[in-house]
mmCIF file of all heavy atoms in Angstrom:
data_model
loop_
_atom_site.group_PDB
_atom_site.id
_atom_site.type_symbol
_atom_site.label_atom_id
_atom_site.label_comp_id
_atom_site.label_asym_id
_atom_site.label_seq_id
_atom_site.Cartn_x
_atom_site.Cartn_y
_atom_site.Cartn_z
ATOM 1 N N THR A 270 25.997 -17.848 31.260
ATOM 2 C CA THR A 270 25.949 -19.235 31.711
ATOM 3 C C THR A 270 27.342 -19.662 32.157
ATOM 4 O O THR A 270 28.312 -19.537 31.402
ATOM 5 C CB THR A 270 25.453 -20.162 30.585
ATOM 6 O OG1 THR A 270 24.165 -19.722 30.141
ATOM 7 C CG2 THR A 270 25.349 -21.588 31.074
ATOM 8 N N ILE A 271 27.414 -20.180 33.372
ATOM 9 C CA ILE A 271 28.672 -20.618 33.973
ATOM 10 C C ILE A 271 28.662 -22.142 33.980
ATOM 11 O O ILE A 271 27.840 -22.766 34.655
ATOM 12 C CB ILE A 271 28.803 -20.073 35.410
ATOM 13 C CG1 ILE A 271 28.698 -18.543 35.403
ATOM 14 C CG2 ILE A 271 30.104 -20.530 36.050
ATOM 15 C CD1 ILE A 271 28.390 -17.953 36.771
ATOM 16 N N VAL A 272 29.583 -22.757 33.221
ATOM 17 C CA VAL A 272 29.579 -24.198 33.003
ATOM 18 C C VAL A 272 30.827 -24.807 33.640
ATOM 19 O O VAL A 272 31.952 -24.520 33.209
ATOM 20 C CB VAL A 272 29.538 -24.537 31.501
ATOM 21 C CG1 VAL A 272 29.505 -26.050 31.301
ATOM 22 C CG2 VAL A 272 28.343 -23.876 30.837
ATOM 23 N N GLY A 273 30.646 -25.632 34.657
ATOM 24 C CA GLY A 273 31.794 -26.278 35.279
ATOM 25 C C GLY A 273 31.434 -26.895 36.611
ATOM 26 O O GLY A 273 30.513 -26.448 37.302
ATOM 27 N N GLY A 274 32.173 -27.930 36.988
ATOM 28 C CA GLY A 274 31.864 -28.697 38.178
ATOM 29 C C GLY A 274 32.205 -27.996 39.475
ATOM 30 O O GLY A 274 33.056 -27.103 39.535
ATOM 31 N N LYS A 275 31.511 -28.399 40.527
ATOM 32 C CA LYS A 275 31.742 -28.002 41.913
ATOM 33 C C LYS A 275 31.676 -26.491 42.148
ATOM 34 O O LYS A 275 32.561 -25.923 42.800
ATOM 35 C CB LYS A 275 33.080 -28.551 42.392
ATOM 36 C CG LYS A 275 33.176 -30.073 42.333
ATOM 37 C CD LYS A 275 34.518 -30.579 42.836
ATOM 38 C CE LYS A 275 34.581 -32.090 42.774
ATOM 39 N NZ LYS A 275 35.894 -32.604 43.225
ATOM 40 N N PRO A 276 30.645 -25.823 41.641
ATOM 41 C CA PRO A 276 30.537 -24.390 41.930
ATOM 42 C C PRO A 276 30.273 -24.166 43.423
ATOM 43 O O PRO A 276 29.474 -24.881 44.032
ATOM 44 C CB PRO A 276 29.338 -23.943 41.092
ATOM 45 C CG PRO A 276 28.534 -25.190 40.894
ATOM 46 C CD PRO A 276 29.518 -26.320 40.837
ATOM 47 N N PRO A 277 30.915 -23.173 44.029
ATOM 48 C CA PRO A 277 30.703 -22.916 45.454
ATOM 49 C C PRO A 277 29.366 -22.234 45.700
ATOM 50 O O PRO A 277 28.706 -21.748 44.772
ATOM 51 C CB PRO A 277 31.872 -21.989 45.815
ATOM 52 C CG PRO A 277 32.176 -21.268 44.539
ATOM 53 C CD PRO A 277 31.906 -22.269 43.442
ATOM 54 N N ALA A 278 28.982 -22.136 46.955
ATOM 55 C CA ALA A 278 27.697 -21.552 47.319
ATOM 56 C C ALA A 278 27.568 -20.112 46.850
ATOM 57 O O ALA A 278 26.480 -19.674 46.457
ATOM 58 C CB ALA A 278 27.503 -21.634 48.837
ATOM 59 N N GLU A 279 28.685 -19.371 46.852
ATOM 60 C CA GLU A 279 28.612 -17.970 46.451
ATOM 61 C C GLU A 279 28.263 -17.820 44.969
ATOM 62 O O GLU A 279 27.708 -16.798 44.560
ATOM 63 C CB GLU A 279 29.927 -17.249 46.769
ATOM 64 C CG GLU A 279 31.141 -17.862 46.113
ATOM 65 C CD GLU A 279 32.441 -17.238 46.610
ATOM 66 O OE1 GLU A 279 32.453 -16.032 46.931
ATOM 67 O OE2 GLU A 279 33.451 -17.970 46.676
ATOM 68 N N LEU A 280 28.576 -18.833 44.150
ATOM 69 C CA LEU A 280 28.133 -18.807 42.752
ATOM 70 C C LEU A 280 26.715 -19.344 42.626
ATOM 71 O O LEU A 280 25.889 -18.780 41.897
ATOM 72 C CB LEU A 280 29.079 -19.637 41.873
ATOM 73 C CG LEU A 280 30.316 -18.965 41.299
ATOM 74 C CD1 LEU A 280 31.041 -19.920 40.357
ATOM 75 C CD2 LEU A 280 29.949 -17.687 40.552
ATOM 76 N N LEU A 281 26.434 -20.442 43.288
ATOM 77 C CA LEU A 281 25.099 -21.043 43.190
ATOM 78 C C LEU A 281 24.015 -20.070 43.634
ATOM 79 O O LEU A 281 22.880 -20.144 43.163
ATOM 80 C CB LEU A 281 25.048 -22.312 44.043
ATOM 81 C CG LEU A 281 25.837 -23.509 43.503
ATOM 82 C CD1 LEU A 281 25.878 -24.627 44.530
ATOM 83 C CD2 LEU A 281 25.236 -24.003 42.194
ATOM 84 N N ALA A 282 24.369 -19.145 44.509
ATOM 85 C CA ALA A 282 23.385 -18.167 44.982
ATOM 86 C C ALA A 282 22.881 -17.282 43.854
ATOM 87 O O ALA A 282 21.790 -16.699 43.948
ATOM 88 C CB ALA A 282 24.007 -17.303 46.085
ATOM 89 N N HIS A 283 23.632 -17.178 42.768
ATOM 90 C CA HIS A 283 23.234 -16.333 41.630
ATOM 91 C C HIS A 283 22.452 -17.097 40.564
ATOM 92 O O HIS A 283 21.933 -16.481 39.627
ATOM 93 C CB HIS A 283 24.472 -15.709 40.979
ATOM 94 C CG HIS A 283 25.171 -14.703 41.841
ATOM 95 N ND1 HIS A 283 24.744 -13.397 41.948
ATOM 96 C CD2 HIS A 283 26.271 -14.822 42.636
ATOM 97 C CE1 HIS A 283 25.561 -12.741 42.763
ATOM 98 N NE2 HIS A 283 26.482 -13.572 43.197
ATOM 99 N N ASP A 284 22.379 -18.415 40.695
ATOM 100 C CA ASP A 284 21.706 -19.205 39.668
ATOM 101 C C ASP A 284 20.235 -18.812 39.567
ATOM 102 O O ASP A 284 19.506 -18.780 40.567
ATOM 103 C CB ASP A 284 21.819 -20.700 40.013
ATOM 104 C CG ASP A 284 21.227 -21.590 38.936
ATOM 105 O OD1 ASP A 284 21.355 -21.249 37.745
ATOM 106 O OD2 ASP A 284 20.643 -22.634 39.289
ATOM 107 N N GLY A 285 19.798 -18.483 38.348
ATOM 108 C CA GLY A 285 18.407 -18.126 38.115
ATOM 109 C C GLY A 285 18.071 -16.678 38.367
ATOM 110 O O GLY A 285 16.895 -16.290 38.274
ATOM 111 N N THR A 286 19.080 -15.851 38.666
ATOM 112 C CA THR A 286 18.821 -14.435 38.914
ATOM 113 C C THR A 286 19.513 -13.571 37.872
ATOM 114 O O THR A 286 20.651 -13.845 37.490
ATOM 115 C CB THR A 286 19.319 -14.021 40.312
ATOM 116 O OG1 THR A 286 20.745 -14.124 40.362
ATOM 117 C CG2 THR A 286 18.718 -14.913 41.387
ATOM 118 N N ASP A 287 18.818 -12.554 37.391
ATOM 119 C CA ASP A 287 19.406 -11.551 36.487
ATOM 120 C C ASP A 287 20.089 -12.161 35.267
ATOM 121 O O ASP A 287 21.138 -11.688 34.823
ATOM 122 C CB ASP A 287 20.410 -10.683 37.250
ATOM 123 C CG ASP A 287 19.750 -9.911 38.380
ATOM 124 O OD1 ASP A 287 18.608 -9.449 38.200
ATOM 125 O OD2 ASP A 287 20.370 -9.786 39.446
ATOM 126 N N GLY A 288 19.511 -13.225 34.731
ATOM 127 C CA GLY A 288 20.045 -13.825 33.514
ATOM 128 C C GLY A 288 21.232 -14.742 33.726
ATOM 129 O O GLY A 288 21.890 -15.142 32.760
ATOM 130 N N VAL A 289 21.516 -15.108 34.967
ATOM 131 C CA VAL A 289 22.664 -15.963 35.282
ATOM 132 C C VAL A 289 22.206 -17.405 35.459
ATOM 133 O O VAL A 289 21.193 -17.676 36.115
ATOM 134 C CB VAL A 289 23.389 -15.480 36.552
ATOM 135 C CG1 VAL A 289 24.518 -16.443 36.931
ATOM 136 C CG2 VAL A 289 23.921 -14.066 36.358
ATOM 137 N N ARG A 290 22.964 -18.319 34.870
ATOM 138 C CA ARG A 290 22.697 -19.739 35.056
ATOM 139 C C ARG A 290 23.999 -20.422 35.464
ATOM 140 O O ARG A 290 25.048 -20.197 34.853
ATOM 141 C CB ARG A 290 22.178 -20.369 33.761
ATOM 142 C CG ARG A 290 21.866 -21.862 33.875
ATOM 143 C CD ARG A 290 21.259 -22.388 32.588
ATOM 144 N NE ARG A 290 20.889 -23.782 32.670
ATOM 145 C CZ ARG A 290 20.365 -24.487 31.670
ATOM 146 N NH1 ARG A 290 20.147 -23.890 30.500
ATOM 147 N NH2 ARG A 290 20.057 -25.759 31.822
ATOM 148 N N VAL A 291 23.952 -21.253 36.505
ATOM 149 C CA VAL A 291 25.110 -22.009 36.985
ATOM 150 C C VAL A 291 24.782 -23.482 36.816
ATOM 151 O O VAL A 291 23.891 -24.008 37.491
ATOM 152 C CB VAL A 291 25.421 -21.681 38.461
ATOM 153 C CG1 VAL A 291 26.666 -22.431 38.920
ATOM 154 C CG2 VAL A 291 25.593 -20.173 38.664
ATOM 155 N N THR A 292 25.470 -24.165 35.903
ATOM 156 C CA THR A 292 25.075 -25.521 35.537
ATOM 157 C C THR A 292 25.620 -26.594 36.457
ATOM 158 O O THR A 292 25.042 -27.667 36.579
ATOM 159 C CB THR A 292 25.546 -25.856 34.111
ATOM 160 O OG1 THR A 292 26.981 -25.972 34.093
ATOM 161 C CG2 THR A 292 25.095 -24.807 33.118
ATOM 162 N N GLY A 293 26.763 -26.354 37.103
ATOM 163 C CA GLY A 293 27.477 -27.456 37.727
ATOM 164 C C GLY A 293 28.143 -28.289 36.645
ATOM 165 O O GLY A 293 28.268 -27.880 35.486
ATOM 166 N N ARG A 294 28.573 -29.492 37.026
ATOM 167 C CA ARG A 294 29.283 -30.353 36.077
ATOM 168 C C ARG A 294 28.355 -30.807 34.951
ATOM 169 O O ARG A 294 27.204 -31.156 35.195
ATOM 170 C CB ARG A 294 29.856 -31.578 36.803
ATOM 171 C CG ARG A 294 30.717 -32.465 35.908
ATOM 172 C CD ARG A 294 31.252 -33.677 36.683
ATOM 173 N NE ARG A 294 32.119 -34.486 35.857
ATOM 174 C CZ ARG A 294 31.705 -35.413 35.004
ATOM 175 N NH1 ARG A 294 30.399 -35.650 34.882
ATOM 176 N NH2 ARG A 294 32.557 -36.103 34.269
ATOM 177 N N VAL A 295 28.862 -30.800 33.728
ATOM 178 C CA VAL A 295 28.121 -31.317 32.579
ATOM 179 C C VAL A 295 28.960 -32.402 31.917
ATOM 180 O O VAL A 295 30.186 -32.403 32.013
ATOM 181 C CB VAL A 295 27.779 -30.193 31.564
ATOM 182 C CG1 VAL A 295 26.905 -29.127 32.206
ATOM 183 C CG2 VAL A 295 29.039 -29.575 30.973
ATOM 184 N N GLU A 296 28.307 -33.320 31.261
ATOM 185 C CA GLU A 296 29.024 -34.424 30.614
ATOM 186 C C GLU A 296 29.838 -33.964 29.411
ATOM 187 O O GLU A 296 30.876 -34.532 29.100
ATOM 188 C CB GLU A 296 28.034 -35.527 30.186
ATOM 189 C CG GLU A 296 27.462 -36.319 31.340
ATOM 190 C CD GLU A 296 28.534 -37.054 32.136
ATOM 191 O OE1 GLU A 296 29.473 -37.603 31.519
ATOM 192 O OE2 GLU A 296 28.442 -37.063 33.376
ATOM 193 N N ASP A 297 29.369 -32.932 28.735
ATOM 194 C CA ASP A 297 30.026 -32.470 27.513
ATOM 195 C C ASP A 297 29.864 -30.950 27.435
ATOM 196 O O ASP A 297 28.737 -30.438 27.389
ATOM 197 C CB ASP A 297 29.375 -33.156 26.297
ATOM 198 C CG ASP A 297 30.139 -32.914 24.997
ATOM 199 O OD1 ASP A 297 31.007 -32.020 24.953
ATOM 200 O OD2 ASP A 297 29.852 -33.634 24.021
ATOM 201 N N VAL A 298 30.976 -30.236 27.447
ATOM 202 C CA VAL A 298 30.887 -28.765 27.410
ATOM 203 C C VAL A 298 30.618 -28.238 26.009
ATOM 204 O O VAL A 298 30.204 -27.082 25.838
ATOM 205 C CB VAL A 298 32.173 -28.098 27.957
ATOM 206 C CG1 VAL A 298 32.420 -28.505 29.388
ATOM 207 C CG2 VAL A 298 33.383 -28.398 27.082
ATOM 208 N N ARG A 299 30.832 -29.062 24.978
ATOM 209 C CA ARG A 299 30.732 -28.552 23.600
ATOM 210 C C ARG A 299 29.367 -27.973 23.249
ATOM 211 O O ARG A 299 29.301 -26.900 22.626
ATOM 212 C CB ARG A 299 31.122 -29.652 22.610
ATOM 213 C CG ARG A 299 32.573 -30.074 22.690
ATOM 214 C CD ARG A 299 32.856 -31.264 21.787
ATOM 215 N NE ARG A 299 32.028 -32.409 22.177
ATOM 216 C CZ ARG A 299 31.958 -33.540 21.472
ATOM 217 N NH1 ARG A 299 32.621 -33.661 20.342
ATOM 218 N NH2 ARG A 299 31.203 -34.538 21.894
ATOM 219 N N PRO A 300 28.249 -28.632 23.617
ATOM 220 C CA PRO A 300 26.954 -28.025 23.269
ATOM 221 C C PRO A 300 26.771 -26.644 23.891
ATOM 222 O O PRO A 300 26.152 -25.765 23.279
ATOM 223 C CB PRO A 300 25.942 -29.034 23.819
ATOM 224 C CG PRO A 300 26.670 -30.334 23.874
ATOM 225 C CD PRO A 300 28.075 -29.963 24.224
ATOM 226 N N TRP A 301 27.288 -26.441 25.083
ATOM 227 C CA TRP A 301 27.148 -25.162 25.761
ATOM 228 C C TRP A 301 27.970 -24.076 25.076
ATOM 229 O O TRP A 301 27.510 -22.947 24.903
ATOM 230 C CB TRP A 301 27.574 -25.299 27.228
ATOM 231 C CG TRP A 301 26.748 -26.299 27.970
ATOM 232 C CD1 TRP A 301 26.966 -27.648 28.078
ATOM 233 C CD2 TRP A 301 25.543 -26.046 28.691
ATOM 234 N NE1 TRP A 301 25.983 -28.245 28.822
ATOM 235 C CE2 TRP A 301 25.100 -27.280 29.223
ATOM 236 C CE3 TRP A 301 24.806 -24.888 28.967
ATOM 237 C CZ2 TRP A 301 23.945 -27.389 29.994
ATOM 238 C CZ3 TRP A 301 23.659 -24.990 29.741
ATOM 239 C CH2 TRP A 301 23.229 -26.230 30.241
ATOM 240 N N ILE A 302 29.201 -24.436 24.682
ATOM 241 C CA ILE A 302 30.041 -23.474 23.966
ATOM 242 C C ILE A 302 29.411 -23.134 22.620
ATOM 243 O O ILE A 302 29.308 -21.964 22.231
ATOM 244 C CB ILE A 302 31.466 -24.032 23.774
ATOM 245 C CG1 ILE A 302 32.135 -24.288 25.127
ATOM 246 C CG2 ILE A 302 32.313 -23.066 22.933
ATOM 247 C CD1 ILE A 302 33.469 -25.028 25.024
ATOM 248 N N ALA A 303 28.991 -24.185 21.897
ATOM 249 C CA ALA A 303 28.447 -23.980 20.551
ATOM 250 C C ALA A 303 27.169 -23.155 20.567
ATOM 251 O O ALA A 303 26.887 -22.412 19.617
ATOM 252 C CB ALA A 303 28.191 -25.331 19.887
ATOM 253 N N ALA A 304 26.383 -23.275 21.640
ATOM 254 C CA ALA A 304 25.103 -22.573 21.701
ATOM 255 C C ALA A 304 25.254 -21.100 22.057
ATOM 256 O O ALA A 304 24.338 -20.305 21.824
ATOM 257 C CB ALA A 304 24.194 -23.252 22.721
ATOM 258 N N ALA A 305 26.398 -20.722 22.615
ATOM 259 C CA ALA A 305 26.581 -19.351 23.067
ATOM 260 C C ALA A 305 26.906 -18.415 21.904
ATOM 261 O O ALA A 305 27.537 -18.809 20.923
ATOM 262 C CB ALA A 305 27.700 -19.294 24.103
ATOM 263 N N ASP A 306 26.489 -17.183 22.039
ATOM 264 C CA ASP A 306 26.884 -16.165 21.057
ATOM 265 C C ASP A 306 28.357 -15.804 21.221
ATOM 266 O O ASP A 306 29.069 -15.603 20.241
ATOM 267 C CB ASP A 306 26.034 -14.898 21.222
ATOM 268 C CG ASP A 306 24.578 -15.120 20.854
ATOM 269 O OD1 ASP A 306 24.324 -15.806 19.849
ATOM 270 O OD2 ASP A 306 23.702 -14.617 21.584
ATOM 271 N N ILE A 307 28.807 -15.718 22.479
ATOM 272 C CA ILE A 307 30.167 -15.283 22.773
ATOM 273 C C ILE A 307 30.687 -16.070 23.960
ATOM 274 O O ILE A 307 29.977 -16.268 24.955
ATOM 275 C CB ILE A 307 30.209 -13.771 23.110
ATOM 276 C CG1 ILE A 307 29.665 -12.940 21.939
ATOM 277 C CG2 ILE A 307 31.629 -13.319 23.452
ATOM 278 C CD1 ILE A 307 29.400 -11.477 22.312
#
Side-chain angles (χ1 to χ4, degrees):
T270 303
I271 303 162
V272 181
K275 300 181 180 178
E279 58 188 327
L280 273 185
L281 289 172
H283 292 279
D284 184 36
T286 66
D287 298 322
V289 176
R290 180 176 183 182
V291 183
T292 69
R294 185 180 183 277
V295 299
E296 288 299 320
D297 189 346
V298 300
R299 294 174 300 172
W301 300 88
I302 298 172
D306 293 319
I307 301 168

